[in-house]
Amino acid sequence: MYQIYVDRDKLEIKITKIKNTFRGTKEEGEAWRNPTKIVSYNINGIRAAQKLGLLEWVESFNADVFCFQEVRCTEELTKEILSGCQTQINLFVFIS
């Protein structure tokens, strides 16, 4: 298990391996051993990525959260493209 710390002011990323020191119930321990899988991916255009097999990749990767950058299309078209995916996807759009 790793802890990732990003310091934006210093433009620095620190990755530290942490020891599993969990003490709790068996059910809580199972959740600890199955961490959330988060994927951040610069797709460089969702329509191009779709042609290259994005939806199949999303279904096969089995992550809990996908963060896509450089989507380059409207929210409506993104929803339409992602609706073809068999995996349930909830869309959150952030524009800066």
Side-chain angles (χ1 to χ4, degrees), residues 32-51:
W32 180 262
R33 283 190 281 283
N34 296 312
T36 301
K37 190 186 297 184
I38 301 172
V39 175
S40 179
Y41 184 25
N42 184 333
I43 60 174
N44 202 17
I46 195 166
R47 289 170 284 202
Q50 179 189 21
K51 292 176 187 174

Side-chain angles (χ1 to χ4, degrees), residues 9-70:
D9 296 330
K10 295 180 182 177
L11 298 176
E12 182 177 88
I13 298 174
K14 294 179 183 177
I15 301 175
T16 308
K17 188 170 184 174
I18 56 175
K19 185 177 180 183
N20 182 352
T21 57
F22 179 79
R23 287 176 176 66
T25 67
K26 182 178 179 182
E27 292 79 18
E28 292 168 333
E30 289 300 318
W32 180 262
R33 283 190 281 283
N34 296 312
T36 301
K37 190 186 297 184
I38 301 172
V39 175
S40 179
Y41 184 25
N42 184 333
I43 60 174
N44 202 17
I46 195 166
R47 289 170 284 202
Q50 179 189 21
K51 292 176 187 174
L52 295 172
L54 174 68
L55 300 181
E56 293 81 10
W57 177 81
V58 166
E59 291 172 1
S60 68
F61 203 82
N62 196 27
D64 299 299
V65 177
F66 289 93
C67 302
F68 296 135
Q69 295 84 40
E70 300 289 332

